[in-house]
Amino acid sequence: MFKKILIANRGEIAVRIIRACKEWGISTVAVHSDVDRDSMHVKLADESVCIGSHQPANSYLNIPALLSAVDLTNAEAVHPGYGFLSENANFAKVLEENKIKFIGASSKHIEMMGDKIQAKKIAKENGLPIIEGSEGGVKDIKEAKEICKEIGFPVLIKASGGGGGKGMKIVNKEDEFETLFSTAKSEAQKYFGNDKVYIEKFFQNPRHIEVQILAGKNRAVHLHERDCSVQRRHQKLIEETPSPVLTNEIRKDLFEKTVNMVSKIGYEGAGTVEFIYEAGKFYFLEMNTRVQVEHPVSEMVTGIDIIKEQIWIAFSGETALKQTDINPRGHAIECRINAEDPSKNFQPSPGIIGMCHQPSGFRTRVDGAIFQGYKVTPYYDSMVCKLICHGRNRTEAIQRMNRSLDEFVIEGINTTIPLHKKLLNHKKFINSDFNVSWLDNEKII
Amino acid sequence: MIVEAMKTMNHVPSTSEGIVKEILVEDGQPVEFGQTLIILE
């Protein structure tokens, strides 16, 4: 096994990875920016290295500084977590060239799936249903308009290099098209350095369903699905497994097609294949070649530690799991606790945390990196921790989540906790009668 | 004016009409709650 792993991330995911390493007796190296020196991940790791100033470009995205930290500490492998450099093919490649193991997909697969147009093409070639639209980037407004005529409005204009809900435009009517098309192109250029856009049919009431996979040279297995349809501004807020809307017949088809695609492209590591689901049909959206924020819900029902499996696959090249080992039990829900004020349109709420009491008890899990006196800075993502609850069924999972949210105390900053309390008791959530645009269309708090 | 916090770009609309008399911050400079950014006349 690896003797030492460097974690190229911060916050709750860095803590999560350090915990997995510790259980396996692997030494850990934390890296941090100047403002993060008192963070939880730095305190928990065996060693730590300051890699730059607060701006992500100078620290968590600073490849030369990270390489120096690897060299300085003799780490054998790097775990990138999610975000930052986790889907940066160049970073994976530099590590590969320097014989440092990148705990993630190969640079080839990151590149393959990083370009959304190319990913869609690969998915189609390997038997996954895709959303109707342009067969790649659209050349000009004339071609774009022809495609719209074919598939009908509303349509979605997406940036090829985009992600995280950025660089997307919904067009409802033909006369809005020209303006929004040029805005989408200029935004794509500004945010992603690439003005290539593509067009897809826009779904009005879709659910977001994704399949967790783990793959090695020997085989690929799936850890069932997650339903992440409670979103605000295209960012997930509550995730659960199993999905309350899938039938076993659809589930079987979805898993078979996903595992087949992942095996065919020779993918290795943990990954998630994301789908849109509407009116009994699923369509490939994209593949995330890394661990995801919401991975704990799958861990709770399967009993499998996804981070440890990632480390094992990176080390041995194979997965020790067989499909028959994966038998999910019960229902799990995750609520993302963000430093935001949900009553003020999710306005960011940095500050110093006062009193902090995190819930515990039977089948309750908190993945976080906060404590009393911790300063939530404005430089990074607003998610400060995640609350995950497991129950024998969905009803019990909701009851347990309600109980745990009631125990949660975070003073000094505003959080999404009050919103989650309302959502968990909302008729639409209880009846699973919602889609990805629910929170954008209805004022809950 | 746009204030970036936690990876989100927050649009700050003007509270009233007027002519910009002075801009008290520079592009990229960190700001705090309640800080005066622009003086309108």
Side-chain angles (χ1 to χ4, degrees):
Chain A
M1 181 41 75
F2 297 122
K3 286 189 181 64
K4 196 187 269 188
I5 292 176
L6 180 139
I7 296 103
N9 215 301
R10 63 181 300 284
E12 70 88 17
I13 193 63
V15 170
R16 169 72 188 86
I17 297 160
I18 291 168
R19 284 174 173 156
C21 291
K22 279 201 167 177
E23 287 175 18
W24 268 356
I26 302 166
S27 294
T28 50
V29 181
V31 293
H32 63 90
S33 64
D34 53 0
V35 294
D36 273 347
R37 71 168 48 88
D38 296 321
S39 294
M40 178 96 94
H41 75 287
V42 176
K43 291 178 203 281
L44 291 182
D46 298 305
E47 291 170 74
S48 64
V49 181
C50 181
I51 50 165
S53 60
H54 64 271
Q55 295 96 332
N58 295 341
S59 45
Y60 300 105
L61 294 171
N62 184 345
I63 296 177
L66 282 159
L67 291 177
S68 304
V70 168
D71 195 39
L72 192 74
T73 57
N74 289 316
E76 294 161 86
V78 173
H79 198 307
Y82 53 68
F84 294 124
L85 294 169
S86 63
E87 289 176 293
N88 184 308
N90 180 42
F91 183 52
K93 197 156 184 238
V94 170
L95 291 174
E96 281 159 20
E97 283 165 3
N98 285 284
K99 304 268 180 288
I100 303 293
K101 198 75 200 175
F102 177 74
I103 305 175
S106 66
S107 56
K108 184 186 109 185
H109 287 112
I110 296 174
E111 218 169 316
M112 200 186 255
M113 290 299 170
D115 182 303
K116 304 300 170 213
I117 293 173
Q118 199 189 342
K120 206 172 150 182
K121 200 165 149 252
I122 291 164
K124 192 184 176 188
E125 283 165 9
N126 290 287
L128 285 179
I130 58 159
I131 303 167
E132 264 187 297
S134 56
E135 288 270 326
V138 280
K139 276 203 312 282
D140 50 31
I141 185 87
K142 191 168 159 267
E143 190 195 340
K145 279 188 166 170
E146 269 164 30
I147 293 159
C148 293
K149 211 166 271 167
E150 227 176 273
I151 61 174
F153 285 93
V155 300
L156 192 62
I157 308 170
K158 293 169 97 173
S160 183
K166 295 220 160 61
M168 297 204 290
K169 289 270 171 282
I170 302 162
V171 191
N172 290 306
K173 297 190 299 274
E174 198 183 339
D175 55 358
E176 294 172 351
F177 189 78
E178 231 168 294
T179 329
L180 288 167
F181 184 74
S182 55
T183 320
K185 266 183 115 62
S186 63
E187 280 190 13
Q189 180 64 44
K190 197 163 75 194
Y191 293 129
F192 313 111
N194 171 5
D195 77 342
K196 200 150 111 180
V197 295
Y198 61 106
I199 293 170
E200 277 180 352
K201 175 97 193 123
F202 177 67
F203 288 88
Q204 309 266 20
N205 305 298
R207 300 280 286 216
H208 175 108
I209 307 275
E210 57 190 35
V211 180
Q212 173 73 54
I213 62 99
L214 283 166
K217 285 186 177 68
N218 53 341
R219 71 179 86 86
V221 297
H222 67 83
L223 271 65
H224 293 243
E225 84 281 7
R226 292 186 285 262
D227 189 324
C228 318
S229 305
V230 180
Q231 304 187 352
R232 52 116 184 132
R233 299 195 296 244
H234 304 290
Q235 285 180 337
K236 298 161 189 167
L237 210 55
I238 301 179
E239 302 97 345
E240 60 184 310
T241 184
S243 166
V245 297
L246 289 189
T247 63
N248 280 336
E249 197 187 337
I250 290 168
R251 202 169 263 130
K252 192 169 162 266
D253 187 32
L254 175 67
F255 296 161
E256 270 175 19
K257 286 191 166 123
T258 303
V259 169
N260 177 49
M261 191 269 289
V262 169
S263 304
K264 272 195 176 152
I265 63 170
Y267 187 84
E268 281 175 45
T272 302
V273 185
E274 300 192 325
F275 298 89
I276 271 196
Y277 177 78
E278 189 170 283
K281 284 190 177 144
F282 56 86
Y283 307 87
F284 172 82
L285 202 58
E286 62 179 50
M287 180 170 185
N288 291 154
T289 54
R290 53 168 167 87
V291 70
Q292 281 189 302
V293 174
E294 60 273 24
H295 77 276
V297 291
S298 304
E299 295 184 326
M300 297 299 271
V301 296
T302 61
I304 290 161
D305 185 323
I306 294 171
I307 303 287
K308 280 185 184 166
E309 293 304 324
Q310 272 191 305
I311 296 171
W312 179 253
I313 293 168
F315 179 74
S316 73
E318 296 190 341
T319 174
L321 293 169
K322 294 188 211 65
Q323 196 58 55
T324 49
D325 296 332
I326 299 149
N327 302 297
R329 284 185 68 182
H331 197 98
I333 303 176
E334 172 181 277
C335 289
R336 296 194 189 189
I337 315 295
N338 299 343
E340 289 168 0
D341 188 346
S343 66
K344 287 188 186 150
N345 197 24
F346 298 97
Q347 179 183 301
S349 176
I352 293 171
I353 293 177
M355 160 87 178
C356 180
H357 175 80
Q358 302 184 25
S360 55
F362 191 56
R363 287 179 177 157
T364 297
R365 164 176 171 183
V366 178
D367 273 24
I370 55 167
F371 48 86
Q372 190 166 325
Y374 174 69
K375 189 177 177 191
V376 181
T377 64
Y379 308 116
Y380 307 108
D381 194 273
S382 59
M383 195 187 75
V384 291
C385 65
K386 310 179 301 204
L387 173 57
I388 308 106
C389 288
H390 184 226
R392 280 171 302 167
N393 49 43
R394 190 168 189 264
T395 306
E396 195 187 48
I398 292 174
Q399 289 165 346
R400 186 158 289 135
M401 185 58 85
N402 266 316
R403 184 270 292 165
S404 301
L405 285 167
D406 276 341
E407 284 179 31
F408 221 138
V409 180
I410 303 177
E411 286 179 353
I413 57 166
N414 290 303
T415 72
T416 45
I417 293 173
L419 173 69
H420 283 304
K421 285 184 184 171
K422 290 233 160 112
L423 287 174
L424 268 281
N425 292 298
H426 199 288
K427 219 170 96 191
K428 283 191 181 168
F429 184 80
I430 292 165
N431 296 331
S432 194
D433 173 25
F434 55 85
N435 61 64
V436 295
S437 38
W438 178 29
L439 295 193
D440 294 328
N441 295 334
E442 191 172 327
K443 193 158 174 61
I444 310 278
I445 195 164
Chain B
M1 181 168 274
I2 294 170
V3 175
E4 183 188 356
M6 299 175 145
K7 300 198 309 195
T8 316
M9 301 294 178
N10 301 280
H11 292 261
V12 183
S14 174
T15 45
S16 61
E17 252 179 65
I19 296 162
V20 176
K21 194 183 164 205
E22 206 180 343
I23 300 172
L24 301 164
V25 286
E26 274 174 41
D27 192 18
Q29 181 193 327
V31 289
E32 267 302 329
F33 286 105
Q35 188 176 333
T36 309
L37 307 176
I38 285 174
I39 295 174
L40 286 177
E41 206 172 54

